[in-house]
């Protein structure tokens, strides 16, 4: 896959690319309240990115997209849809509540890891969270040739009290 990333932010509170530009010179940032919809996100999953960073309202089974002023209508992407979309990304960071709640059947993060041709690892939360506002240290460590596990461990140690439910899932 080409060396580029996607930062897809349904939650517009964070105006930046979360530090992904530390890793890639080519980062697509999607942050429009009426652009970030389930339909658009699924279409972008079919494009080729090495890394996708999603910021969206979620449960363990679905990402839900709101329109301007938090109005419903942007649709949802359900876990069972992931294999049909077949995301073209090696790595995903799901900045989404409970997406990796592995104690629930059919959680989103495991569907991303185990149901497509590309994904090797997913970083996501197994609990409710208030959003990770910057992953610059994580993406910077990757740019300095850290493995995804080492970069995650370094970031997680520095942020454990706020994001203790965040974990990494991978397909060995």
């Amino acid at each position: 896959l080409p060396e580029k990333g996607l930062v897809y932010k349904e939650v517009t509170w964070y105006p930046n690319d979360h530090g992904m530009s530390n890793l890639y010179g080519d980062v697509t940032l999607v942050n429009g309240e009426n652009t970030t919809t389930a339909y658009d996100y699924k279409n972008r999953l079919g494009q080729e990115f090495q890394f996708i960073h999603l910021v969206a309202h979620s449960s363990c089974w679905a990402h839900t997209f709101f329109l301007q002023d938090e109005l419903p209508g942007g649709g949802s992407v359900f876990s069972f849809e992931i294999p049909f979309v077949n995301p073209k990304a090696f790595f995903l960071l799901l900045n989404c509540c409970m997406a990796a709640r592995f104690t629930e059947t059919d959680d989103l993060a495991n569907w991303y890891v185990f149901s497509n041709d590309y994904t090797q690892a997913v970083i996501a939360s197994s609990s409710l969270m208030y959003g990770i506002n910057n992953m610059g240290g994580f993406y910077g460590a990757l740019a300095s040739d850290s493995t995804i596990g080492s970069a995650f461990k370094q970031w997680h140690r520095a942020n454990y009290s706020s994001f203790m439910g965040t974990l990494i899932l991978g397909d060995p």
Side-chain angles (χ1 to χ4, degrees), residues 8 11 41 53-60 62-65 93-101 108 112 123-129 131-132 166:
Y8 199 90
V11 179
Y41 178 63
H53 184 131
L54 173 66
V55 182
H57 293 287
S58 296
S59 70
C60 34
H63 304 302
T64 300
F65 298 86
L93 194 154
L94 304 177
N95 189 351
C96 310
C97 289
M98 300 189 302
R101 184 159 246 164
L108 282 161
Y112 279 103
I123 295 170
S125 178
S126 62
S127 62
L128 290 172
M129 59 188 283
I132 303 165
T166 307

Side-chain angles (χ1 to χ4, degrees), residues 43-165:
N43 282 334
R44 290 180 193 269
L45 286 175
Q47 298 172 13
E48 295 182 339
F49 297 97
Q50 283 187 359
F51 215 118
I52 295 175
H53 184 131
L54 173 66
V55 182
H57 293 287
S58 296
S59 70
C60 34
W61 307 288
H63 304 302
T64 300
F65 298 86
F66 292 91
L67 301 175
Q68 188 171 356
D69 300 324
E70 296 290 316
L71 294 173
S76 295
V77 176
F78 294 91
S79 58
F80 62 81
E81 295 180 275
I82 301 301
F84 301 105
V85 175
N86 194 24
K88 292 181 175 74
F90 293 140
F91 308 104
L92 289 99
L93 194 154
L94 304 177
N95 189 351
C96 310
C97 289
M98 300 189 302
R101 184 159 246 164
F102 55 88
T103 57
E104 297 291 337
T105 303
D106 293 330
D107 70 275
L108 282 161
N110 277 300
W111 276 95
Y112 279 103
V113 172
F114 296 111
S115 68
N116 70 67
D117 299 329
Y118 296 91
T119 304
Q120 298 171 16
V122 173
I123 295 170
S125 178
S126 62
S127 62
L128 290 172
M129 59 188 283
Y130 290 101
I132 303 165
N133 61 8
N134 194 323
M135 293 295 290
F138 170 76
Y139 289 121
L142 288 176
S144 298
D145 293 328
S146 270
T147 64
I148 195 164
S150 294
F152 175 74
K153 185 177 177 181
Q154 176 185 338
W155 172 84
H156 200 251
R157 280 186 176 158
N159 295 280
Y160 182 75
S161 63
S162 299
F163 303 107
M164 64 181 108

Side-chain angles (χ1 to χ4, degrees), residues 13-27:
W13 310 322
Y14 312 113
N16 59 40
D17 70 1
H18 293 268
M20 190 180 279
S21 57
N22 292 332
L23 181 58
Y24 299 113
D26 185 358
V27 176

